[in-house]
Amino acid sequence: MTDCIFCKIVNGELPSETVYNSPNVTAFRDINPAAPVHILIVPNRHIDHIRDPRAFEDDVLKEMFQVANQVAEMEGIAESGYRLLFNYGPDANLVVPHLHLHLLGGRPLGPMVARR
Ligand code: AMP
Ligand code: ZN
């Protein structure tokens, strides 16, 4: 996808603080972190979001979760704990239409969703 910012990060056309990359998956720091550790894990190949059937081809999701666990180790939060999440659709505030798994940690994150 020529206009996709995460494709551009994967291809090195946009700068990012990349912490891990493999032939299939890249992980880089979120530009607007919501926690001391906030890293996005993305497939190198463009996939729109978690409802895109391409997400379920090959072992894309499996590898993304494996990378998330590995990056959590590298960031020193494997023991203290972390949260992994996908957003989808307006209620969840999906903004960037390239599949990305959020890895959040480094402080107590509180309840999963604000109650109101
Ligand atoms: P989402 O709301 O799930 O679509 O999350 C998109 C995330 O991408 C947000 O947390 C943004 O801060 C992050 N983001 C947007 N542009 C960039 C960028 N150029 N580099 C790193 N993270 C980005
Ligand atoms: Zn893309």
Side-chain angles (χ1 to χ4, degrees):
M1 282 262 291
T2 46
D3 242 17
C4 169
I5 59 170
F6 287 177
C7 279
K8 286 183 176 166
I9 286 175
V10 167
N11 297 333
E13 294 165 45
L14 267 183
S16 76
E17 205 180 320
T18 296
V19 296
Y20 177 96
N21 79 317
S22 75
N24 299 320
V25 174
T26 299
F28 52 90
R29 291 192 196 284
D30 195 291
I31 204 168
N32 185 21
V37 176
H38 188 173
I39 289 168
L40 303 175
I41 296 107
V42 308
N44 294 348
R45 166 166 103 96
H46 184 88
I47 293 171
D48 289 333
H49 47 61
I50 194 61
R51 295 185 60 86
D52 181 333
R54 291 173 290 185
F56 301 92
E57 289 173 3
D58 308 315
D59 280 332
V60 179
L61 285 171
K62 179 176 165 184
E63 192 170 340
M64 288 171 71
F65 280 110
Q66 286 171 329
V67 168
N69 281 344
Q70 195 174 330
V71 171
E73 292 275 351
M74 289 159 50
E75 293 289 314
I77 57 168
E79 296 302 318
S80 51
Y82 51 94
R83 187 168 289 160
L84 298 174
L85 67 90
F86 288 105
N87 290 318
Y88 176 76
D91 278 358
N93 261 351
L94 178 65
V95 175
V96 178
H98 178 128
L99 182 65
H100 52 280
L101 177 60
H102 292 260
L103 165 65
L104 294 149
R107 66 164 169 82
L109 296 170
M112 189 168 66
V113 176
R115 295 180 190 277
R116 47 180 162 147

